[in-house]
Amino acid sequence: MKTLIFDCFGVLVVSQREFSNMSEIFENRWILNEKLLNFIRKEKKNGSKIAVLSNVAQYSFNQFFSEEEQAELFDEVVLSGNEGVSKPDARIFEIACERLGENPENCVFVDDSPENVIVAKNLGMRGIVYADFEEFEKEMEKF
């Protein structure tokens, strides 16, 4: 059984296009990463624990995932807006592991930020810097 922890923006929810400046970020349209969500559904059926660890508020997260979808897809949702601590602070990674009932060594953390993945690895997690689904699949084969 695997324990997988995913970031939200840039991983579960992806940009439809690249942006060249900060103002374009706010105009950008974000879409669900359906390939990754289908992977998560398959992993859940196979007994894996799945969590979200993201620096967003509950309100923002709820815009993409209904309560029903959250219950279907994720065993735990750890959001900085609810916890009062955010990545890259090691404490929020520890909170995610505690909620999952797992040691960091049993977890794979997936984020588009190399800095956040380094923190996870320093705590003992395995880590993947997410760029696209195909690369993610190749990296997951190592685990």
PDB file of all heavy atoms in Angstrom, residues 53-56 79-81 83-93 116:
ATOM      1  N   LEU A  53      -2.037  18.326   0.359  1.00  0.00           N
ATOM      2  CA  LEU A  53      -1.308  19.260   1.220  1.00  0.00           C
ATOM      3  C   LEU A  53      -1.048  20.492   0.376  1.00  0.00           C
ATOM      4  O   LEU A  53      -0.263  20.446  -0.572  1.00  0.00           O
ATOM      5  CB  LEU A  53       0.005  18.637   1.693  1.00  0.00           C
ATOM      6  CG  LEU A  53       0.975  19.546   2.443  1.00  0.00           C
ATOM      7  CD1 LEU A  53       0.305  20.199   3.641  1.00  0.00           C
ATOM      8  CD2 LEU A  53       2.207  18.770   2.860  1.00  0.00           C
ATOM      9  N   SER A  54      -1.753  21.585   0.678  1.00  0.00           N
ATOM     10  CA  SER A  54      -1.688  22.739  -0.209  1.00  0.00           C
ATOM     11  C   SER A  54      -1.761  24.051   0.557  1.00  0.00           C
ATOM     12  O   SER A  54      -2.393  24.139   1.609  1.00  0.00           O
ATOM     13  CB  SER A  54      -2.834  22.669  -1.213  1.00  0.00           C
ATOM     14  OG  SER A  54      -2.688  23.664  -2.200  1.00  0.00           O
ATOM     15  N   ASN A  55      -1.119  25.062  -0.017  1.00  0.00           N
ATOM     16  CA  ASN A  55      -1.141  26.412   0.547  1.00  0.00           C
ATOM     17  C   ASN A  55      -2.325  27.198  -0.009  1.00  0.00           C
ATOM     18  O   ASN A  55      -2.162  28.244  -0.625  1.00  0.00           O
ATOM     19  CB  ASN A  55       0.167  27.152   0.224  1.00  0.00           C
ATOM     20  CG  ASN A  55       1.336  26.655   1.019  1.00  0.00           C
ATOM     21  OD1 ASN A  55       1.177  25.914   1.977  1.00  0.00           O
ATOM     22  ND2 ASN A  55       2.530  27.057   0.625  1.00  0.00           N
ATOM     23  N   VAL A  56      -3.507  26.691   0.196  1.00  0.00           N
ATOM     24  CA  VAL A  56      -4.721  27.389  -0.240  1.00  0.00           C
ATOM     25  C   VAL A  56      -5.724  27.404   0.907  1.00  0.00           C
ATOM     26  O   VAL A  56      -5.625  26.633   1.855  1.00  0.00           O
ATOM     27  CB  VAL A  56      -5.375  26.733  -1.481  1.00  0.00           C
ATOM     28  CG1 VAL A  56      -4.454  26.776  -2.672  1.00  0.00           C
ATOM     29  CG2 VAL A  56      -5.834  25.331  -1.200  1.00  0.00           C
ATOM     30  N   LEU A  79      -4.890  21.940   4.478  1.00  0.00           N
ATOM     31  CA  LEU A  79      -4.764  23.219   3.790  1.00  0.00           C
ATOM     32  C   LEU A  79      -4.183  24.264   4.729  1.00  0.00           C
ATOM     33  O   LEU A  79      -4.613  24.387   5.881  1.00  0.00           O
ATOM     34  CB  LEU A  79      -6.128  23.677   3.275  1.00  0.00           C
ATOM     35  CG  LEU A  79      -6.874  22.688   2.375  1.00  0.00           C
ATOM     36  CD1 LEU A  79      -8.254  23.222   2.025  1.00  0.00           C
ATOM     37  CD2 LEU A  79      -6.066  22.380   1.122  1.00  0.00           C
ATOM     38  N   SER A  80      -3.233  25.028   4.223  1.00  0.00           N
ATOM     39  CA  SER A  80      -2.563  26.020   5.055  1.00  0.00           C
ATOM     40  C   SER A  80      -3.556  27.024   5.638  1.00  0.00           C
ATOM     41  O   SER A  80      -3.375  27.475   6.763  1.00  0.00           O
ATOM     42  CB  SER A  80      -1.478  26.746   4.256  1.00  0.00           C
ATOM     43  OG  SER A  80      -2.044  27.446   3.164  1.00  0.00           O
ATOM     44  N   GLY A  81      -4.593  27.342   4.887  1.00  0.00           N
ATOM     45  CA  GLY A  81      -5.584  28.287   5.377  1.00  0.00           C
ATOM     46  C   GLY A  81      -6.298  27.799   6.621  1.00  0.00           C
ATOM     47  O   GLY A  81      -6.777  28.597   7.426  1.00  0.00           O
ATOM     48  N   GLU A  83      -4.738  25.466   8.770  1.00  0.00           N
ATOM     49  CA  GLU A  83      -3.743  25.016   9.738  1.00  0.00           C
ATOM     50  C   GLU A  83      -2.935  26.144  10.368  1.00  0.00           C
ATOM     51  O   GLU A  83      -2.298  25.931  11.393  1.00  0.00           O
ATOM     52  CB  GLU A  83      -2.784  24.017   9.078  1.00  0.00           C
ATOM     53  CG  GLU A  83      -3.458  22.806   8.478  1.00  0.00           C
ATOM     54  CD  GLU A  83      -4.273  22.018   9.476  1.00  0.00           C
ATOM     55  OE1 GLU A  83      -3.923  21.989  10.677  1.00  0.00           O
ATOM     56  OE2 GLU A  83      -5.282  21.417   9.063  1.00  0.00           O
ATOM     57  N   GLY A  84      -2.893  27.310   9.722  1.00  0.00           N
ATOM     58  CA  GLY A  84      -2.111  28.416  10.264  1.00  0.00           C
ATOM     59  C   GLY A  84      -0.614  28.258  10.038  1.00  0.00           C
ATOM     60  O   GLY A  84       0.189  28.964  10.639  1.00  0.00           O
ATOM     61  N   VAL A  85      -0.243  27.339   9.186  1.00  0.00           N
ATOM     62  CA  VAL A  85       1.154  27.124   8.811  1.00  0.00           C
ATOM     63  C   VAL A  85       1.152  26.678   7.358  1.00  0.00           C
ATOM     64  O   VAL A  85       0.202  26.037   6.906  1.00  0.00           O
ATOM     65  CB  VAL A  85       1.841  26.089   9.739  1.00  0.00           C
ATOM     66  CG1 VAL A  85       1.166  24.743   9.655  1.00  0.00           C
ATOM     67  CG2 VAL A  85       3.322  25.980   9.466  1.00  0.00           C
ATOM     68  N   SER A  86       2.178  27.054   6.604  1.00  0.00           N
ATOM     69  CA  SER A  86       2.169  26.731   5.180  1.00  0.00           C
ATOM     70  C   SER A  86       3.514  26.166   4.734  1.00  0.00           C
ATOM     71  O   SER A  86       4.519  26.286   5.434  1.00  0.00           O
ATOM     72  CB  SER A  86       1.828  27.981   4.355  1.00  0.00           C
ATOM     73  OG  SER A  86       2.774  29.005   4.583  1.00  0.00           O
ATOM     74  N   LYS A  87       3.477  25.496   3.579  1.00  0.00           N
ATOM     75  CA  LYS A  87       4.711  25.006   2.983  1.00  0.00           C
ATOM     76  C   LYS A  87       5.578  26.214   2.645  1.00  0.00           C
ATOM     77  O   LYS A  87       5.031  27.238   2.247  1.00  0.00           O
ATOM     78  CB  LYS A  87       4.426  24.223   1.697  1.00  0.00           C
ATOM     79  CG  LYS A  87       3.594  22.989   1.883  1.00  0.00           C
ATOM     80  CD  LYS A  87       3.306  22.289   0.564  1.00  0.00           C
ATOM     81  CE  LYS A  87       2.409  23.134  -0.287  1.00  0.00           C
ATOM     82  NZ  LYS A  87       2.068  22.557  -1.580  1.00  0.00           N
ATOM     83  N   PRO A  88       6.834  26.174   2.836  1.00  0.00           N
ATOM     84  CA  PRO A  88       7.679  25.015   3.079  1.00  0.00           C
ATOM     85  C   PRO A  88       7.964  24.705   4.555  1.00  0.00           C
ATOM     86  O   PRO A  88       8.887  23.941   4.848  1.00  0.00           O
ATOM     87  CB  PRO A  88       8.975  25.384   2.352  1.00  0.00           C
ATOM     88  CG  PRO A  88       9.061  26.860   2.509  1.00  0.00           C
ATOM     89  CD  PRO A  88       7.632  27.340   2.441  1.00  0.00           C
ATOM     90  N   ASP A  89       7.180  25.224   5.481  1.00  0.00           N
ATOM     91  CA  ASP A  89       7.387  24.906   6.900  1.00  0.00           C
ATOM     92  C   ASP A  89       7.186  23.401   7.119  1.00  0.00           C
ATOM     93  O   ASP A  89       6.154  22.840   6.749  1.00  0.00           O
ATOM     94  CB  ASP A  89       6.391  25.695   7.746  1.00  0.00           C
ATOM     95  CG  ASP A  89       6.646  25.608   9.238  1.00  0.00           C
ATOM     96  OD1 ASP A  89       6.876  24.491   9.746  1.00  0.00           O
ATOM     97  OD2 ASP A  89       6.604  26.654   9.892  1.00  0.00           O
ATOM     98  N   ALA A  90       8.162  22.769   7.731  1.00  0.00           N
ATOM     99  CA  ALA A  90       8.119  21.313   7.939  1.00  0.00           C
ATOM    100  C   ALA A  90       6.904  20.886   8.756  1.00  0.00           C
ATOM    101  O   ALA A  90       6.402  19.769   8.599  1.00  0.00           O
ATOM    102  CB  ALA A  90       9.400  20.844   8.617  1.00  0.00           C
ATOM    103  N   ARG A  91       6.398  21.742   9.605  1.00  0.00           N
ATOM    104  CA  ARG A  91       5.280  21.374  10.483  1.00  0.00           C
ATOM    105  C   ARG A  91       4.044  20.947   9.694  1.00  0.00           C
ATOM    106  O   ARG A  91       3.354  20.010  10.087  1.00  0.00           O
ATOM    107  CB  ARG A  91       4.951  22.528  11.434  1.00  0.00           C
ATOM    108  CG  ARG A  91       3.834  22.222  12.381  1.00  0.00           C
ATOM    109  CD  ARG A  91       4.229  21.131  13.390  1.00  0.00           C
ATOM    110  NE  ARG A  91       3.032  20.702  14.100  1.00  0.00           N
ATOM    111  CZ  ARG A  91       2.643  19.445  14.236  1.00  0.00           C
ATOM    112  NH1 ARG A  91       3.380  18.458  13.774  1.00  0.00           N
ATOM    113  NH2 ARG A  91       1.530  19.152  14.860  1.00  0.00           N
ATOM    114  N   ILE A  92       3.764  21.593   8.577  1.00  0.00           N
ATOM    115  CA  ILE A  92       2.557  21.227   7.830  1.00  0.00           C
ATOM    116  C   ILE A  92       2.703  19.844   7.185  1.00  0.00           C
ATOM    117  O   ILE A  92       1.728  19.098   7.066  1.00  0.00           O
ATOM    118  CB  ILE A  92       2.143  22.312   6.802  1.00  0.00           C
ATOM    119  CG1 ILE A  92       0.666  22.101   6.405  1.00  0.00           C
ATOM    120  CG2 ILE A  92       3.071  22.356   5.622  1.00  0.00           C
ATOM    121  CD1 ILE A  92      -0.013  23.300   5.816  1.00  0.00           C
ATOM    122  N   PHE A  93       3.917  19.463   6.830  1.00  0.00           N
ATOM    123  CA  PHE A  93       4.161  18.107   6.323  1.00  0.00           C
ATOM    124  C   PHE A  93       3.930  17.085   7.440  1.00  0.00           C
ATOM    125  O   PHE A  93       3.352  16.027   7.220  1.00  0.00           O
ATOM    126  CB  PHE A  93       5.587  17.980   5.794  1.00  0.00           C
ATOM    127  CG  PHE A  93       5.865  18.813   4.577  1.00  0.00           C
ATOM    128  CD1 PHE A  93       6.278  20.134   4.693  1.00  0.00           C
ATOM    129  CD2 PHE A  93       5.728  18.279   3.307  1.00  0.00           C
ATOM    130  CE1 PHE A  93       6.546  20.900   3.573  1.00  0.00           C
ATOM    131  CE2 PHE A  93       5.994  19.039   2.175  1.00  0.00           C
ATOM    132  CZ  PHE A  93       6.400  20.360   2.309  1.00  0.00           C
ATOM    133  N   ASN A 116       9.531  22.741  -1.963  1.00  0.00           N
ATOM    134  CA  ASN A 116       8.648  21.958  -1.097  1.00  0.00           C
ATOM    135  C   ASN A 116       9.016  20.474  -1.111  1.00  0.00           C
ATOM    136  O   ASN A 116       8.940  19.800  -0.078  1.00  0.00           O
ATOM    137  CB  ASN A 116       7.189  22.153  -1.506  1.00  0.00           C
ATOM    138  CG  ASN A 116       6.706  23.564  -1.242  1.00  0.00           C
ATOM    139  OD1 ASN A 116       7.240  24.279  -0.401  1.00  0.00           O
ATOM    140  ND2 ASN A 116       5.704  23.978  -1.986  1.00  0.00           N
TER     141      ASN A 116
END
